[in-house]
Amino acid sequence: MASILDEYEDSLYRSASVQQSRASVGIPHSGYVNARLEKETPIFNKQRIDFAPPEKINSLVVSSNQLCMSLGKDTLLRIDLGKPDEPNQVELGRKDEARVYKMFLDHTGSHLLIALNTSECLYLNRSVQKVRALSRWKGHLIESVGWNKFLGSETNTGPILVGTAQGQVYEAEISVSEGSLFSTNPDQYFRQVYTLEEESGPAPVCCLEIERGLEGKFFIIATTRKRLFQFVGKVPEGTEQQGFSSIFAMHADHLPSFREFPANLGFSEIAFYTPKLRSNPRSFAWMMGNGVLYGTLDYSRPDSILSDERVWVYPADIDVTVNKPISIVLTQFHFLLLLPDRVKAVCTLNGQVVFQDLFLEKFGLLTRMIKDPTVQQIWIHTEKVVFRYHVQRESRDVWKMYMNMNKFDLAKEYCKDRPECLDIVLAKEAEHCFQNKRYIDSAKCYALTQNYFEEIALKFIEAKQEEALMEFLLKKLSNLKPSEKTQTTLLTTWLTELYLNWLGVLEGDPSQRNLYLDTREKFRTFLSSPKNKDCLFNNRASIYELLASHGDTEHMVYFAVIMQDYERVVAHHCQHDEYDEALNVLSRHRDEKLFYKFSPVLIQHIPKKVVDAWISMGSRLDARNLIPALVNYSQSASTQQINEAIRYMEFCVYQLEETQEAIHNYLLSLYALCRPDSLLSYLEQAGTNPNRIHYDLKYALRLCAEHGHHHACVHIYKVMELYEEAVDLALQVDVDLAKSCADLPEDDEELRKKLWLKIARHVVQEEKDVKKAMACLSSCALLKIEDVLPFFPDFVTIDHFKEAICNSLEDYNKHIEELKREMEEATQSAKRIREDIQEMRNKYGSVEPQEKCAACDFPLLNRPFYLFLCGHMFHYDCLLQAVFPNLPAYKQAKLEDLQKKLAATSQPSKSHHRPKDADTISLGKGQQSREQLKADIDDIVAAECVYCGELMIRSIDKPFIDPQKYEEEMQSWL
């Protein structure tokens, strides 16, 4: 194990050297560079708004990118932050000394409530320019408003809750009618629903919040200076528009649940954090006298929405008696406290101050801090200046706090996109688990870090935690890249060694049986892992050596199966006489080469099962390659065992329809050796056509002759068409068999007669049976009594042949009579033919003077012409011109030759002094020769009508225009 570790250390030498060099210049050993290339911006980035108010700022509210501020006594400024260059100024139109006390803007930025210090309230809608007084609200100093985020719209607030300085909680609704904007009072109703009290009596309602939970349940949070109340109840579905009076009515006789703290600031303020737009708040922070009550909101709880509450006391430099906090804002991980001259940000995870921003005196005292929940921007103002804070990457350092709190899962969640931070968290978690003796968890974490491999491995070795070391190596192996082949090989080999050692220890302890089985399963999973397959395959020789050194034959076989090294598996089973297992492996993986290699061994022990496996393989096996195994087996086996070889050969021949000669020859030899009854049926089934027979005829003949199978030999002779040899051999067995052979040469009567004479001679001379000899005469029509008589001895009396001789004479007489009849019929036929010829010579046709040639359309009688039976008429030269191109070459040559000879006979004789008799004789011979030439020409030219005969049919595929003259013809048309 130590040597493997040394090898792995060597393979990591370069990477370790790089890490050490980094450490020497201040880079952590994790391998990540933490240097900041540029100054990182703070989480809360302050920006002063370029705005100089003409009058002092009394109040400022922001929501949905809509900002409203009260300036001086009578001016209201509205700014759409999406269009900051287009501010809108509205005059309140007050002539008295009334001043703005507080302003409230709903979540949509559409509804603005302006509370005056004269216990009056004004309303302004975003879409209008005129402020409207709410008459029903008069006489109440408004401290807080709980907006309805579920039913409110741009023109209607829906039922809302209003808290006053006298402790009353009112329910109200404001609606703006389109078309007639202020034709009616905007306040629909204003009715009291509850009064909040402290121990001294009614107390101002500092804050109101309405939230909806699951199944139609509503939670209403209301705060006074020292108390935080919760009202919980269901509003029936479809009655939400009727308001929340039913929820407050449930607490008419008893106080609702509340949290109370002894100290107070004279006021309190609650802030909520909403992670996404139009979602429920997830956490809250209540600023009161004793500090800040922070917690999460759990909407699944039945009676209280507040959960995981804790009180963070104010930082030490805040004295609530001197510089008490003014406002609070809550973000995801911080709450910000506004003091008269500074802003402090406190982390909600540990209560530590992580940010402080001091404002210059020239800006004046800080008045108010508010957050726009839709864009997560924080606004602060004095009487002269407005500031805005952008929250940037607030969670950047949260992982450190969770890590220090040992909340490693949360820490990893908040640094998963920062590998250098994640490595620190993992290392800290691994060390924490190691110290708490959770070695397996520690190994899993260490494997994901960039810490030195050898340090971690030695750490587990020193602690004697082999199981944890194996887990570490497995995780490390899974994280390696495909290119890191050396490290992969070393880790794989090391893990194999560890697994084998561990299995060896557990196997000898019966009490650890379950652990042994579990470890064995893990080892097999490791060996069969697809990711390790290539590495294990390339180093399978080393793995085999390790398995062999531990004597673990079970896993050697398992590993061989995974590597698809089935040859080793089968060989192992055969060495241990596990022939059935070996055959099962062969049958399961169906490798033809392995069948060929191991069949000679297996068939010696389990012949029937082996043949069954061969048959199940079907045509995938080449039976020729199995013949050697069958030959060795059949030479040392009994007849019953040879039957298995015959069974497979018959399967190949009859089921697979094999045509290989070697297969048929081997089956033939098995039949000849053990199944002579099947031999003849096989030969007969193979047929008698030599071209369709798949066995070697000469080999089969020699084989059958050696074993004395004469019937089979006779059949083979017949197939080879050696009929004389077939008859000679058949006569030694059965005369009837010889007779069947003698009739086979149907086209050779001479041979048939010769064969039948052999049979007759055998019957007469060998069997001396006259009756059988006479039967031969009746069986073959080619034999006559005179052919057989020479075979009989002289002492045989004629009585035995009397009938045969008489039958022979009668046959001759019949034959003579038949010849006479045929001669008479031939004479009559010749006579009829002569009469038909004479009739044809006298046949004629009439031609009218106006008839024209069918080819040239000129009068027909101007030149020599032909008249056909179909009615078509042609000039001689026109017909010749139409027929000649379509004649075969040899006929064209013959026609030209005949025309030349005809032209030669028509020339006048140059001699004018021939004797008269000679001229007559010569003229007679010339006229005869000329007529014959004309007749030969007519036979060629006028054999058939050029329009109605075969010539027209043969020319149907010829183009109308000769391809060679196509261009010329096309040009003539242009």
Side-chain angles (χ1 to χ4, degrees):
M1 183 185 302
S3 62
I4 295 176
L5 179 58
D6 293 339
E7 292 177 8
Y8 192 88
E9 289 175 358
D10 293 339
S11 70
L12 297 177
Y13 174 75
R14 291 187 178 181
S15 61
S17 299
V18 173
Q19 291 176 351
Q20 289 172 357
S21 64
R22 288 177 174 174
S24 66
V25 295
I27 299 176
H29 72 275
S30 63
Y32 292 108
V33 179
N34 289 330
R36 310 274 171 107
L37 297 181
E38 57 185 28
K39 187 177 180 180
E40 192 175 66
T41 59
I43 295 175
F44 303 100
N45 187 22
K46 182 174 70 174
Q47 176 189 9
R48 179 181 175 181
I49 304 301
D50 186 13
F51 171 69
E55 299 180 78
K56 68 176 184 179
I57 303 173
N58 299 320
S59 181
L60 183 146
V61 288
V62 182
S63 183
S64 295
N65 245 4
Q66 301 294 319
L67 183 145
C68 300
M69 66 175 69
S70 171
L71 302 177
K73 173 185 174 183
D74 199 48
T75 303
L76 189 68
L77 187 65
R78 296 188 295 183
I79 301 175
D80 184 348
L81 297 177
K83 304 174 183 178
D85 298 332
E86 301 176 8
N88 176 253
Q89 184 171 320
V90 178
E91 299 297 330
L92 298 183
R94 304 288 296 191
K95 302 300 182 181
D96 53 12
E97 296 298 322
R99 294 185 177 275
V100 175
Y101 176 64
K102 284 186 179 181
M103 294 197 303
F104 308 94
L105 186 63
D106 79 315
H107 62 288
T108 65
S110 301
H111 306 283
L112 177 65
L113 291 174
I114 307 164
L116 304 178
N117 58 359
T118 57
S119 299
E120 294 178 85
C121 192
L122 306 178
Y123 171 75
L124 179 63
N125 190 276
R126 183 168 66 178
S127 60
V128 299
Q129 285 289 106
K130 187 176 181 180
V131 177
R132 184 70 172 171
L134 302 177
S135 58
R136 293 186 175 90
W137 296 43
K138 191 173 183 180
H140 301 283
L141 183 61
I142 307 302
E143 289 284 349
S144 59
V145 176
W147 296 104
N148 193 327
K149 294 178 285 187
F150 315 104
L151 296 178
S153 65
E154 293 184 0
T155 60
N156 187 287
T157 62
I160 61 174
L161 296 177
V162 180
T164 68
Q166 293 77 30
Q168 293 94 359
V169 178
Y170 287 87
E171 184 180 77
E173 182 176 359
I174 301 174
S175 178
V176 179
S177 301
E178 297 181 2
S180 55
L181 195 57
F182 291 111
S183 59
T184 58
N185 290 333
D187 48 338
Q188 302 297 307
Y189 62 88
F190 189 78
R191 56 174 175 260
Q192 184 177 351
V193 291
Y194 202 78
T195 300
L196 298 183
E197 296 182 354
E198 293 180 353
E199 67 275 5
S200 59
V205 182
C206 298
C207 299
L208 283 169
E209 182 74 14
I210 304 171
E211 297 296 337
R212 182 168 62 184
L214 304 176
E215 299 176 354
K217 185 180 293 186
F218 280 84
F219 298 89
I220 299 173
I221 298 176
T223 65
T224 62
R225 293 164 298 186
K226 298 169 58 177
R227 290 183 178 182
L228 186 151
F229 294 87
Q230 290 186 78
F231 298 88
V232 183
K234 283 188 177 182
V235 175
E237 185 176 357
T239 63
E240 293 89 348
Q241 197 65 40
Q242 297 179 8
F244 308 102
S245 56
S246 59
I247 297 176
F248 289 99
M250 296 169 58
H251 303 279
D253 300 330
H254 61 279
L255 286 175
S257 62
F258 63 88
R259 303 284 190 275
E260 184 174 13
F261 293 89
N264 76 82
L265 302 172
F267 64 93
S268 71
E269 185 174 344
I270 191 167
F272 296 90
Y273 168 69
T274 304
K276 295 179 182 180
L277 187 64
R278 296 186 181 87
S279 63
N280 289 330
R282 194 172 68 183
S283 56
F284 74 97
W286 181 37
M287 182 183 72
M288 42 76 182
N290 292 80
V292 176
L293 177 66
Y294 173 80
T296 59
L297 301 178
D298 186 355
Y299 297 92
S300 62
R301 299 181 66 181
D303 299 324
S304 174
I305 194 176
L306 308 181
S307 177
D308 299 330
E309 302 169 50
R310 66 175 67 180
V311 176
W312 294 116
V313 297
Y314 294 120
D317 60 343
I318 296 179
D319 186 357
V320 296
T321 61
V322 179
N323 58 340
K324 61 180 68 175
I326 303 169
S327 293
I328 186 171
V329 163
L330 181 63
T331 62
Q332 185 176 6
F333 296 105
H334 304 85
F335 58 82
L336 281 74
L337 295 174
L338 180 69
L339 301 170
D341 60 345
R342 70 193 65 191
V343 173
K344 288 181 178 287
V346 179
C347 180
T348 58
L349 299 178
N350 54 17
Q352 300 296 317
V353 177
V354 297
F355 173 79
Q356 178 171 280
D357 193 5
L358 186 65
F359 288 76
L360 300 177
E361 292 183 3
K362 66 178 182 178
F363 298 137
L365 297 177
L366 301 179
T367 306
R368 177 77 172 160
M369 177 172 61
I370 191 168
K371 185 180 76 169
D372 186 346
T374 58
V375 294
Q376 303 296 325
Q377 291 179 350
I378 300 171
W379 296 79
I380 297 176
H381 72 92
T382 67
E383 291 183 349
K384 303 176 182 179
V385 187
V386 178
F387 298 93
R388 178 171 58 188
Y389 281 95
H390 292 274
V391 183
Q392 297 179 338
R393 296 178 56 233
E394 183 182 4
S395 62
R396 68 181 72 171
D397 295 324
V398 170
W399 63 273
K400 291 181 183 178
M401 301 172 190
Y402 279 128
M403 181 182 69
N404 294 330
M405 297 165 62
N406 292 335
K407 295 183 178 181
F408 300 108
D409 290 337
L410 290 172
K412 287 183 285 188
E413 179 68 25
Y414 285 100
C415 64
K416 59 185 177 182
D417 56 344
R418 299 171 65 186
E420 70 281 1
C421 301
L422 181 62
D423 187 72
I424 297 173
V425 174
L426 289 170
K428 181 71 178 292
E429 183 182 7
E431 186 63 29
H432 176 77
C433 293
F434 193 92
Q435 295 298 332
N436 288 276
K437 297 184 179 181
R438 292 163 47 201
Y439 297 109
I440 299 296
D441 295 334
S442 176
K444 291 178 180 179
C445 293
Y446 269 132
L448 299 175
T449 67
Q450 298 295 319
N451 291 18
Y452 293 136
F453 171 85
E454 59 273 20
E455 291 181 0
I456 301 170
L458 289 173
K459 192 171 187 176
F460 286 114
I461 293 173
E462 291 173 358
K464 297 182 180 180
Q465 295 295 324
E466 286 197 6
E467 189 175 359
L469 175 61
M470 289 163 59
E471 185 66 32
F472 169 70
L473 296 178
L474 283 170
K475 289 290 184 182
K476 207 69 178 176
L477 178 62
S478 65
N479 294 332
L480 289 177
K481 300 176 182 178
S483 59
E484 299 173 319
K485 295 183 179 180
T486 303
Q487 292 89 334
T488 302
T489 301
L490 291 172
L491 286 180
T492 302
T493 309
W494 192 3
L495 279 166
T496 304
E497 176 73 17
L498 290 173
Y499 269 120
L500 291 173
N501 288 337
W502 188 237
L503 287 172
V505 172
L506 295 176
E507 189 176 14
D509 189 353
S511 62
Q512 299 290 333
R513 180 64 180 172
N514 292 334
L515 182 58
Y516 167 77
L517 295 176
D518 183 57
T519 306
R520 185 183 69 176
E521 187 62 31
K522 289 181 180 178
F523 182 42
R524 292 185 174 183
T525 303
F526 166 74
L527 292 177
S528 59
S529 172
K531 187 173 183 180
N532 304 332
K533 184 176 181 181
D534 291 340
C535 179
L536 291 171
F537 182 81
N538 295 331
N539 299 278
R540 58 189 183 279
S542 300
I543 303 299
Y544 281 131
E545 290 178 4
L546 280 175
L547 293 167
S549 66
H550 285 265
D552 195 342
T553 57
E554 178 185 1
H555 284 105
M556 182 181 292
V557 172
Y558 182 82
F559 180 69
V561 171
I562 293 173
M563 294 294 104
Q564 297 184 358
D565 190 0
Y566 302 118
E567 182 176 349
R568 185 184 293 268
V569 177
V570 177
H572 170 80
H573 288 310
C574 291
Q575 289 173 2
H576 292 79
D577 297 336
E578 299 171 352
Y579 302 109
D580 288 334
E581 290 296 327
L583 184 60
N584 288 337
V585 174
L586 291 176
S587 301
R588 187 162 54 249
H589 300 288
R590 305 174 75 83
D591 189 332
E592 300 87 351
K593 295 180 180 179
L594 295 183
F595 266 102
Y596 300 146
K597 182 172 183 177
F598 291 100
S599 288
V601 177
L602 296 176
I603 200 169
Q604 299 290 338
H605 300 88
I606 47 174
K608 185 178 184 307
K609 293 181 179 179
V610 171
V611 171
D612 290 339
W614 290 350
I615 291 174
S616 67
M617 287 288 288
S619 59
R620 294 183 60 178
L621 289 179
D622 188 348
R624 292 178 301 174
N625 296 329
L626 298 173
I627 289 177
L630 292 171
V631 170
N632 293 333
Y633 171 69
S634 60
Q635 288 177 352
S636 60
S638 63
T639 303
Q640 183 178 0
Q641 292 172 325
I642 293 176
N643 288 336
E644 294 299 329
I646 294 177
R647 180 162 71 94
Y648 181 65
M649 289 292 104
E650 287 179 340
F651 168 77
C652 294
V653 171
Y654 298 122
Q655 300 297 325
L656 301 182
E657 298 181 354
E658 286 284 354
T659 59
Q660 297 293 333
E661 187 176 273
I663 298 173
H664 287 264
N665 287 345
Y666 183 59
L667 178 60
L668 199 65
S669 66
L670 293 175
Y671 279 149
L673 180 64
C674 297
R675 288 191 187 177
D677 295 338
S678 301
L679 176 62
L680 187 59
S681 62
Y682 165 76
L683 294 173
E684 291 175 349
Q685 188 172 352
T688 58
N689 187 347
N691 297 325
R692 295 184 179 180
I693 288 176
H694 306 300
Y695 58 84
D696 187 343
L697 289 170
K698 295 180 180 179
Y699 171 76
L701 182 62
R702 184 175 68 252
L703 191 67
C704 294
E706 288 177 358
H707 290 84
H709 302 310
H710 297 305
H711 276 83
C713 290
V714 170
H715 179 81
I716 295 171
Y717 278 133
K718 291 192 294 183
V719 175
M720 298 173 70
E721 297 183 357
L722 300 175
Y723 300 116
E724 292 189 42
E725 289 81 353
V727 171
D728 290 340
L729 185 58
L731 289 175
Q732 299 177 19
V733 180
D734 185 10
V735 174
D736 292 335
L737 180 60
K739 289 180 180 180
S740 64
C741 296
D743 283 332
L744 290 177
E746 298 177 354
D747 299 332
D748 192 346
E749 292 185 354
E750 183 179 351
L751 179 58
R752 284 176 59 200
K753 183 175 181 180
K754 182 179 180 182
L755 297 177
W756 276 103
L757 285 175
K758 283 189 176 215
I759 296 172
R761 178 184 295 163
H762 175 81
V763 171
V764 173
Q765 294 179 354
E766 300 295 332
E767 297 186 5
K768 296 180 174 54
D769 191 337
V770 179
K771 291 183 178 180
K772 278 190 177 182
M774 294 301 101
C776 289
L777 292 177
S778 61
S779 300
C780 180
L782 300 177
L783 289 182
K784 305 298 179 183
I785 185 63
E786 58 268 28
D787 299 327
V788 181
L789 285 177
F791 301 147
F792 288 97
D794 296 338
F795 60 83
V796 178
T797 60
I798 198 172
D799 293 340
H800 295 91
F801 313 113
K802 180 178 180 180
E803 184 177 353
I805 292 172
C806 293
N807 292 336
S808 179
L809 292 175
E810 289 180 0
D811 291 339
Y812 282 128
N813 288 333
K814 290 180 181 178
H815 185 60
I816 292 170
E817 291 297 328
E818 186 175 349
L819 290 176
K820 288 180 179 180
R821 187 174 64 257
E822 290 177 358
M823 291 173 64
E824 290 178 357
E825 290 177 355
T827 302
Q828 294 296 326
S829 296
K831 183 179 178 181
R832 286 195 297 271
I833 291 171
R834 284 193 293 270
E835 291 175 354
D836 291 341
I837 291 172
Q838 186 62 36
E839 185 179 353
M840 287 297 295
R841 287 177 179 173
N842 297 329
K843 194 169 184 179
Y844 65 92
S846 61
V847 177
E848 298 295 333
Q850 65 273 16
E851 293 291 348
K852 295 181 180 180
C853 175
C856 66
D857 205 29
F858 281 93
L860 186 67
L861 299 180
N862 290 349
R863 301 195 299 273
F865 64 89
Y866 288 98
L867 171 63
F868 291 95
L869 293 177
C870 60
H872 288 115
M873 292 168 280
F874 302 90
H875 290 128
Y876 166 76
D877 54 343
C878 294
L879 181 62
L880 180 62
Q881 185 179 3
V883 171
F884 186 81
N886 297 290
L887 291 175
Y890 74 93
K891 283 193 175 183
Q892 290 179 355
K894 183 177 180 182
L895 181 59
E896 290 176 351
D897 183 57
L898 291 173
Q899 287 177 329
K900 289 178 182 179
K901 289 179 179 180
L902 181 62
T905 57
S906 62
Q907 293 178 359
S909 178
K910 295 181 180 181
S911 177
H912 302 283
H913 304 285
R914 289 184 181 181
K916 182 178 180 181
D917 295 339
D919 291 341
T920 305
I921 295 171
S922 177
L923 181 61
K925 291 182 180 178
Q927 289 292 335
Q928 185 179 3
S929 177
R930 182 179 178 83
E931 293 297 328
Q932 182 63 41
L933 291 173
K934 287 185 176 181
D936 292 342
I937 291 173
D938 290 345
D939 290 340
I940 296 174
V941 176
E944 58 182 2
C945 176
V946 72
Y947 288 169
C948 302
E950 294 183 2
L951 181 62
M952 182 59 67
I953 297 174
R954 287 197 301 270
S955 65
I956 192 171
D957 58 343
K958 291 185 179 180
F960 292 109
I961 301 175
D962 188 351
Q964 298 179 354
K965 299 181 180 180
Y966 180 79
E967 292 294 334
E968 180 183 350
E969 184 69 22
M970 185 176 65
Q971 292 296 329
S972 67
W973 283 75
L974 297 178

